[in-house]
Amino acid sequence: MNSLIQSEWQRMWKRKKTLISLILFTAIVLFDCLFLGVQRFGAFDNIHTAPLTAQNFSVFLLKEVSFLLTLIVAPLLIVDSINGEYTAGQLRLVLIRPISFARLFAAKWLNLAFMLLLFTAITFMIGEFAGHLLKPAADSVRYLNPAQVYDRSEAFIYALQSYGLFYLIVLAELSLVGLVSSLMPNALVSFFVSLGVLIGALYISDTLGFFLMSASVIFQLMAGSYAAPFYGPVLVCTGIGFLATMGVWQRRSWTR
Amino acid sequence: MRALFISELERLWKRKLIWMMFAAIPLIVYATARYYAVHNLQVPLDSPEFVTSGNFPVMALIEQLIVVFNLVSLVLLTLSFTEEYRTGQLRMVLLRAFTVGQLFRAKAAAYLVTISLFFAAYLGVSVAVGFQMFDSSETTRLFHHVSPAGPGEVMGYTLKYYGISLLTVVGMGSAMLALAVICHTTTAAIGFGVGILLLSIGYPLVYLTFNTVLNLQLPAQLAFLSLTQIQYEGIAYLLADSSMGPGPYFPLFALAVVAGYVLLCAGGACLAFTRRDRWI
């Protein structure tokens, strides 16, 4: 399993797209920092705002770049790894060895999860760094819930928790897009059906709105004002998506 | 050349994805109508945003133009220029004595016909849904117009709005076309295509913010260098009464932006496409 993960990791970096997305993503995040840097207030939603400080900078940065990660970069990486390689026949030589499809998929899932963690962590680090560079530090910070006051270390924990919640959403997305990519005939269709599913989920039920509205859901969740259940749907999406995709891969023929 | 064009059109239309996109039009229009039915409760009767059966086709287009139409255009271009080329499906076509330039023109023509059909189908469906789901009224308020318009004027306005929208989508499509020709895989082409769409949507906000905060004193009109900004506000400005528009030079500026996109990007794409040798 270990060598399988390693080979999967190498194959992922062999695609130029991975590196290019990482570089472009970092560039856009840096630019977004500049954009936030010239603004004085950050908006939680259409009504509530807060002055931007070094402490809450990274949280507002997440709100700006979350779409880029959830709607473009993540689906692109996932579709390429799970659909692109299989439909282009690149896995033939890998599967000459006696590896089960299920293990291969598990290796892919773990690698993608790690890759997306990398993207999320980069955003967090840039956000914290740029925040301290561009904005004055504040002794106390308030977020969407005005009754809760956070001091500096608590604000750091708040930011860390927000990014953690965002990562949970990304993992749910990984499982869901992985399932779509395993069922669709080619990369192009997978990408657009995935986008459709992620956006359409909002119309099916408010409970599934976290895919599209990740940042505002996280703000509400941290303020304790999020009405719909969160952890249940996220874990169900991650788990069921993973198991169903595993099932699809397990039943595949080796002749592609 | 005509045979090549027809074969391109057939190759595009043999795909289920294209049929699915056209089949989705009624769903999209219906969802938009549901949205406006709720929205109508919140706006005053004499607002141009109040939807009647008269202005529903335009309002339905405004709501979906930036995302749906640009994405449809992206799919068409990626299928036709990236996928067919990179998977080698065009080898058989190029066995015949066609030049790559002819192939490019045939593909571009097939794209233009298909996207125009998509607009026409959307117009047809939204007219039908508009009459089904909204009340009609004698006169209709249009954006940036002094006085309410009668049915004939509304019809002309609708057709002009759809025509200009088509032009802007083709302009945006030129940028996507350039990316589709350069990229080696469909996922890359889509990623960059969606990326440029998001970039265009974000640019006016970033530009105007920097302009105000850093006090650069640059003209606000430069925000319309982004085609999505033209799609978002510019088309209504172009069709505004002369007293309520943004100035006499705006139509010229908007035309220059669209033409610039088409000439630069589509021209560049044509050069890049035809300079390759045929050993795909």
Side-chain angles (χ1 to χ4, degrees):
Chain A
M1 191 70 193
N2 204 358
S3 50
L4 194 57
I5 292 179
Q6 270 180 23
S7 96
E8 205 39 65
W9 182 249
Q10 285 171 354
R11 219 156 337 112
M12 196 144 35
W13 282 103
K14 192 205 70 183
R15 283 194 289 276
K16 266 188 253 157
K17 232 167 295 170
T18 314
L19 191 61
I20 292 179
S21 353
L22 188 63
I23 293 172
L24 279 182
F25 179 77
T26 314
I28 293 176
V29 170
L30 286 173
F31 184 77
D32 249 325
C33 287
L34 271 185
F35 176 65
L36 274 182
V38 300
Q39 285 179 326
R40 303 223 321 273
F41 290 93
F44 296 109
D45 47 39
N46 291 335
I47 309 156
H48 302 91
T49 58
L52 274 168
T53 61
Q55 272 64 41
N56 61 14
F57 191 86
S58 58
V59 183
F60 285 111
L61 181 69
L62 179 63
K63 184 186 166 221
E64 297 286 327
V65 298
S66 60
F67 286 106
L68 189 65
L69 194 57
T70 52
L71 292 186
I72 301 187
V73 176
L76 211 62
L77 293 176
I78 301 168
V79 164
D80 246 344
S81 169
I82 293 182
N83 183 295
E85 281 188 1
Y86 177 73
T87 49
Q90 292 171 16
L91 292 181
R92 279 177 208 151
L93 293 186
V94 178
L95 291 170
I96 282 178
R97 302 197 163 211
I99 303 162
S100 80
F101 260 113
R103 272 167 176 265
L104 184 65
F105 170 69
K108 277 185 183 304
W109 197 91
L110 288 174
N111 263 314
L112 283 167
F114 185 71
M115 185 68 94
L116 293 169
L117 180 64
L118 190 69
F119 276 86
T120 317
I122 285 177
T123 317
F124 179 68
M125 283 189 288
I126 293 180
E128 284 296 318
F129 194 66
H132 286 279
L133 209 63
L134 296 170
K135 288 290 167 190
D139 287 329
S140 64
V141 194
R142 287 162 206 270
Y143 293 96
L144 193 53
N145 184 353
Q148 282 175 306
V149 185
Y150 297 82
D151 66 18
R152 284 187 186 183
S153 55
E154 282 167 350
F156 183 75
I157 301 288
Y158 178 100
L160 209 55
Q161 273 180 332
S162 300
Y163 274 79
L165 289 173
F166 179 71
Y167 185 61
L168 282 185
I169 294 176
V170 170
L171 282 187
E173 183 185 340
L174 166 57
S175 288
L176 207 61
V177 175
L179 180 60
V180 171
S181 310
S182 307
L183 296 174
M184 294 295 143
N186 64 46
L188 188 83
V189 181
S190 311
F191 186 86
F192 280 101
V193 173
S194 302
L195 271 194
V197 168
L198 292 178
I199 296 171
L202 180 67
Y203 293 94
I204 297 173
S205 147
D206 281 344
T207 320
L208 293 172
F210 54 78
F211 287 118
L212 194 62
M213 314 301 295
S214 51
S216 86
V217 167
I218 290 169
F219 280 139
Q220 291 173 26
L221 203 61
M222 294 293 289
S225 60
Y226 187 59
F230 177 78
Y231 293 101
V234 167
L235 291 179
V236 167
C237 277
T238 316
I240 304 254
F242 180 80
L243 291 177
T245 319
M246 185 84 110
V248 173
W249 278 65
Q250 187 65 49
R251 293 190 41 179
R252 263 182 182 168
S253 71
W254 293 61
T255 47
R256 175 90 196 185
Chain B
M1 186 66 194
R2 194 157 156 259
L4 189 59
F5 166 68
I6 290 172
S7 94
E8 276 305 326
L9 213 53
E10 280 176 343
R11 209 140 0 101
L12 211 50
W13 280 88
K14 89 175 178 203
R15 291 167 189 278
K16 284 197 204 79
L17 192 58
I18 308 279
W19 290 97
M20 269 161 56
M21 289 190 314
F22 274 79
I25 292 178
L27 291 178
I28 297 170
V29 175
Y30 179 69
T32 317
R34 288 275 303 273
Y35 164 76
Y36 276 127
V38 177
H39 186 71
N40 262 356
L41 303 175
Q42 298 161 3
V43 290
L45 269 174
D46 59 348
S47 155
E49 282 187 43
F50 187 83
V51 176
T52 61
S53 59
N55 69 354
F56 178 72
V58 169
M59 297 302 282
L61 182 65
I62 291 175
E63 185 65 21
Q64 305 297 351
L65 178 62
I66 295 180
V67 175
V68 171
F69 283 79
N70 284 326
L71 284 184
V72 165
S73 149
L74 175 62
V75 173
L76 290 175
L77 290 166
T78 313
L79 281 178
S80 168
F81 283 89
T82 315
E83 214 223 354
E84 285 182 7
Y85 189 92
R86 299 288 175 183
T87 55
Q89 293 173 27
L90 290 180
R91 277 175 210 152
M92 302 295 153
V93 179
L94 287 173
L95 280 180
R96 305 205 163 196
F98 291 121
T99 66
V100 191
Q102 278 176 320
L103 185 66
F104 184 87
R105 287 197 294 280
K107 275 185 176 306
Y111 158 74
L112 286 177
V113 167
T114 312
I115 194 81
S116 310
L117 272 178
F118 193 81
F119 269 89
Y122 195 86
L123 176 61
V125 173
S126 58
V127 166
V129 170
F131 275 104
Q132 196 65 39
M133 290 188 58
F134 292 96
D135 299 328
S136 61
S137 82
E138 292 277 304
T139 58
T140 309
R141 284 241 159 225
L142 301 174
F143 285 105
H144 312 300
H145 274 239
V146 183
S147 51
E153 198 183 335
V154 171
M155 205 193 278
Y157 185 86
T158 307
L159 288 178
K160 276 188 222 158
Y161 207 104
Y162 271 76
I164 298 174
S165 303
L166 176 62
L167 282 184
T168 59
V169 167
V170 169
M172 199 71 210
S174 309
M176 292 163 174
L177 166 64
L179 293 168
V181 168
I182 296 167
C183 290
H184 288 244
T185 54
T186 46
T187 38
I190 295 165
F192 280 112
V194 177
I196 203 165
L197 188 62
L198 280 194
L199 209 66
S200 301
I201 295 172
Y203 160 74
L205 178 71
V206 174
Y207 171 74
L208 292 174
T209 309
F210 274 113
N211 205 5
T212 338
V213 174
L214 303 178
N215 212 0
L216 297 174
Q217 312 247 323
L218 294 169
Q221 211 168 44
L222 285 186
F224 287 97
L225 282 179
S226 147
L227 276 176
T228 49
Q229 184 68 4
I230 293 186
Q231 292 174 338
Y232 179 60
E233 283 186 326
I235 302 174
Y237 278 147
L238 286 173
L239 297 174
D241 276 348
S242 52
S243 61
M244 298 179 78
Y249 295 114
F250 183 71
L252 216 61
F253 178 75
L255 184 71
V257 171
V258 176
Y261 269 86
V262 173
L263 286 179
L264 274 181
C265 298
C270 182
L271 282 181
F273 195 78
T274 47
R275 258 192 55 224
R276 293 182 200 143
D277 58 34
R278 294 185 183 192
W279 313 110
I280 307 169

